Amino acid sequence: MSATQVQQTDEKPQFYLTEDHHPENSTMLGFWLYLMSDCLIFAVLFATHGVLGRNYAAGPSPADLFDLNIVAINTAMLLLSSITYGFAMLQMERNAKMETLVWLGITGVFGAIFLALELYEFYHLIHEGAGPTRSAFLSSFFTLVGTHGLHVTFGIIWLITLMVQVGRHGLIPENRRRLMCLSMFWHFLDVIWIGVFSFVYLLGVIG
């Protein structure tokens, strides 16, 4: 047996990958696919509200229930959080760790205010007897707005988790990739809320 054959027989098979297990391109592609699936969920909820949004069951209508001033403030909080997240990403590109954390923290505060106002609105509606079981309109409203609120809640939890990771490990490539994914998710929620504000609140009150 030749030396080359002996060397080949002595080589052990490798059952693991030596390259990066989570390449950046595949991570971003996977997250885009997730966002597309979320788009389908919200499309179904918007369509459901479009069908049921006029079924008041002799109960209150949007004009009787919604305070557009509070909704406008709520919308401003979420839009401002999107701007501050953009500032955080700019600081990330400059490799400024502390500035990135500061802007992420401000983003989280705006998101928390948004959630607090939304919970206040839900409490007020239920206290007035306009809960999700009052009519088909209110069922679709609570489902759509509540689903968006749950997404914002998960986004804030994700934001806090990333702030801890960045604080401990800095702006390493893995954290940069995660911050990019959260940025896409956060801006996606802004776009969805603009649809909610226009389709559910404005058209509901004006129409």
Side-chain angles (χ1 to χ4, degrees), residues 180-201:
M180 282 295 299
C181 289
L182 179 55
S183 175
M184 294 162 56
F185 180 75
W186 201 264
H187 294 310
F188 167 76
L189 294 181
D190 266 10
V191 173
I192 295 298
W193 182 255
I194 291 173
V196 172
F197 177 72
S198 304
F199 181 63
V200 176
Y201 288 99

Side-chain angles (χ1 to χ4, degrees), residues 118-140:
E118 190 168 283
L119 290 174
Y120 169 78
E121 180 187 35
F122 280 7
Y123 170 80
H124 176 72
L125 291 176
I126 294 173
H127 182 72
E128 294 293 324
T133 61
R134 179 63 182 83
S135 64
F137 150 66
L138 286 168
S139 296
S140 62

Side-chain angles (χ1 to χ4, degrees), residues 34-161:
Y34 159 72
L35 288 181
M36 294 303 102
S37 68
D38 242 9
C39 280
L40 293 177
I41 293 174
F42 279 105
V44 171
L45 294 177
F46 274 111
T48 302
H49 186 77
V51 173
L52 303 178
R54 299 290 181 180
N55 297 332
Y56 307 135
S61 68
D64 302 321
L65 296 174
F66 298 152
D67 185 347
L68 290 183
N69 292 324
I70 293 180
V71 179
I73 295 173
N74 215 16
T75 302
M77 292 298 101
L78 196 60
L79 293 178
L80 285 173
S81 74
S82 186
I83 294 173
T84 55
Y85 199 103
F87 289 151
M89 297 303 292
L90 291 175
Q91 296 302 322
M92 183 193 75
E93 293 298 325
R94 295 179 55 238
N95 205 32
K97 173 182 169 181
M98 290 307 301
E99 289 82 354
T100 301
L101 289 174
V102 168
W103 284 113
L104 289 176
I106 295 173
T107 300
V109 170
F110 281 135
I113 294 173
F114 171 86
L115 281 179
L117 289 174
E118 190 168 283
L119 290 174
Y120 169 78
E121 180 187 35
F122 280 7
Y123 170 80
H124 176 72
L125 291 176
I126 294 173
H127 182 72
E128 294 293 324
T133 61
R134 179 63 182 83
S135 64
F137 150 66
L138 286 168
S139 296
S140 62
F141 166 78
F142 274 93
T143 303
L144 174 57
V145 179
T147 300
H148 180 271
L150 283 176
H151 278 71
V152 175
T153 303
F154 294 145
I156 292 176
I157 295 173
W158 188 3
L159 177 69
I160 295 172
T161 303

